[in-house]
């Protein structure tokens, strides 16, 4: 998974590169490749729609409201509902994303892009607010791990309807979000508890949860595991278990009890 801070910083290596050598799409794709993610799409409109399907797109104001900040590494778009997408072959009513760049967070002026008007890769001012005629949409792809705490949000980010995939070795509030649910469900996270560090105990808890819920038990928390976690009932984990002996139970009575206590198991004994 790409680190948002790294993505927000790597583009400075290309400052001054002529636009004729690298347009806005090529610049963003170069930054992704530099960070280990390779994807080539047909322009900023294609990227806008790709992130809509594989992440989230919102206004800067909504991003700040939900996550506390527009994090470094977020993809910035100039978007308008002007029908311009029709000329580019998109007939989906999703609007025209005519330009794209990358948020640099607290570094520099706040944004960097390959600009046709500037004729090169250059910084531009972005202060977490929509700019009339400028950056007015934020894309948060789900293959980038963002740090939301720098916006003053010291708790879990509000659920924006998407989650980045997390696995062993990842850190941050998205990991803490998963850990908090697992702990509430009764899974053992070890002495560290909810610490935002996806270590061995968290991986073991995820695998146990996945096995319990009929998922691929790979220890990776992707869309299906997120959905199952958020829909799960408490008490799945390795909490207290009790053995209750009930003498002289008929088969019908046993079946009735198991229908009520769905987590229970029955074993025939003597006595």
């Amino acid at each position: 998974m790409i680190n948002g801070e790294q993505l927000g910083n790597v583009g400075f290596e290309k400052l001054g590169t002529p636009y004729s050598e690298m347009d806005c799409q090529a610049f963003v794709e170069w930054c992704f490749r530099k960070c280990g993610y390779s994807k080539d799409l047909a322009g900023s409109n294609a990227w806008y729609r790709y992130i809509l399907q594989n992440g989230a797109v919102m206004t800067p104001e909504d991003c700040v409201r939900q996550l506390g900040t527009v994090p470094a590494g977020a993809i910035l778009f100039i978007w308008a509902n002007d029908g311009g997408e029709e000329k580019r072959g998109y007939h989906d009513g999703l609007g025209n994303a005519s330009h794209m760049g990358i948020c640099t967070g607290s570094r520099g002026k706040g944004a960097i892009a390959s600009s046709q008007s500037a004729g090169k890769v250059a910084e531009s001012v972005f202060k977490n607010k929509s700019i009339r005629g400028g950056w007015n949409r934020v894309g948060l792809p789900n293959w980038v791990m963002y740090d939301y705490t720098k916006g003053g949000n010291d708790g879990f980010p509000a659920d924006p309807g998407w989650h980045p995939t997390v696995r062993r070795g990842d850190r941050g509030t998205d990991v803490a979000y998963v850990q908090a649910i697992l702990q509430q469900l009764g899974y053992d996270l070890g002495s560290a508890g909810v610490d935002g560090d996806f270590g061995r105990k968290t991986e073991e808890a995820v695998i146990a949860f996945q096995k319990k819920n009929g998922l691929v038990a790979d220890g990776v928390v992707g869309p299906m595991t997120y959905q199952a976690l958020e829909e799960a009932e408490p008490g799945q984990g390795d909490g207290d278990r009790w053995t209750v002996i009930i003498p002289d139970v008929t088969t019908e009575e046993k079946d009735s009890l198991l229908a009520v206590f769905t987590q229970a198991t029955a074993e025939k004994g003597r006595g």
Side-chain angles (χ1 to χ4, degrees), residues 5-271:
E5 287 282 342
Q6 180 188 11
L7 184 60
N9 286 326
V10 71
F12 285 92
E13 296 180 23
K14 287 294 184 179
L15 272 178
T17 300
Y19 182 84
S20 58
E21 296 180 13
M22 178 179 284
D23 63 13
C24 67
Q25 167 211 346
F27 169 71
V28 171
E29 290 175 352
W30 180 89
C31 292
F32 276 132
R33 284 195 299 273
K34 188 75 172 180
C35 294
Y37 182 86
S38 181
K39 189 74 176 177
D40 297 313
L41 296 175
S44 53
N45 267 292
W47 271 104
Y48 180 83
R49 286 154 175 80
Y50 185 67
I51 295 175
L52 270 174
Q53 295 174 353
N54 299 277
V57 176
M58 62 191 79
T59 66
E61 289 76 13
D62 280 342
C63 189
V64 170
R65 186 160 45 249
Q66 294 194 51
L67 306 178
T69 187
V70 177
I75 307 304
L76 301 176
F77 293 98
I78 296 178
W79 176 92
N81 190 23
D82 59 4
E85 72 275 13
E86 295 280 339
K87 300 176 183 178
R88 293 167 174 80
Y90 296 97
H91 309 288
D92 50 18
L94 295 176
N96 178 29
S98 59
H99 188 39
M100 65 188 302
I102 298 177
C103 175
T104 59
S106 59
R107 181 174 178 180
K109 297 180 179 180
I112 188 169
S114 184
S115 167
Q116 187 173 22
S117 59
K120 59 184 178 182
V121 174
E123 292 185 78
S124 62
V125 175
F126 177 69
K127 297 182 178 180
N128 290 0
K129 296 180 180 179
S130 295
I131 301 170
R132 187 172 183 179
W135 307 121
N136 60 1
R137 290 294 185 274
V138 174
L140 299 171
N142 61 12
W143 62 89
V144 180
M145 183 173 66
Y146 294 108
D147 182 0
Y148 308 120
T149 61
K150 294 190 175 181
N153 182 355
D154 56 0
F156 303 137
D159 180 7
W162 66 279
H163 300 285
T165 298
V166 292
R167 54 176 56 83
R168 187 167 179 175
D170 288 339
R171 299 172 182 264
T173 51
D174 299 301
V175 174
Y177 177 77
V178 169
Q179 290 174 324
I181 297 176
L182 286 168
Q183 183 168 272
Q184 185 181 32
L185 293 174
Y187 289 89
D188 179 18
L189 299 177
S191 58
V194 181
D195 63 354
D197 187 351
F198 202 127
R200 178 179 61 84
K201 293 296 290 185
T202 299
E203 183 180 53
E204 289 175 355
V206 170
I207 290 173
F209 172 83
Q210 290 170 327
K211 288 180 178 178
K212 185 78 173 180
N213 289 272
L215 300 165
V216 175
D218 57 4
V220 177
V221 184
M224 293 183 68
T225 300
Y226 271 116
Q227 182 178 353
L229 281 167
E230 292 172 340
E231 294 176 353
E233 295 292 333
Q236 284 197 25
D238 301 319
D240 292 337
R241 295 179 180 270
W242 297 85
T243 299
V244 179
I245 300 174
I246 307 175
D248 303 322
V249 176
T250 66
T251 300
E252 291 76 14
E253 289 171 332
K254 177 206 62 167
D255 292 340
S256 296
L257 286 168
L258 291 177
V260 175
F261 300 100
T262 57
Q263 301 295 320
T265 58
E267 181 177 343
K268 188 176 181 179
R270 296 180 179 180

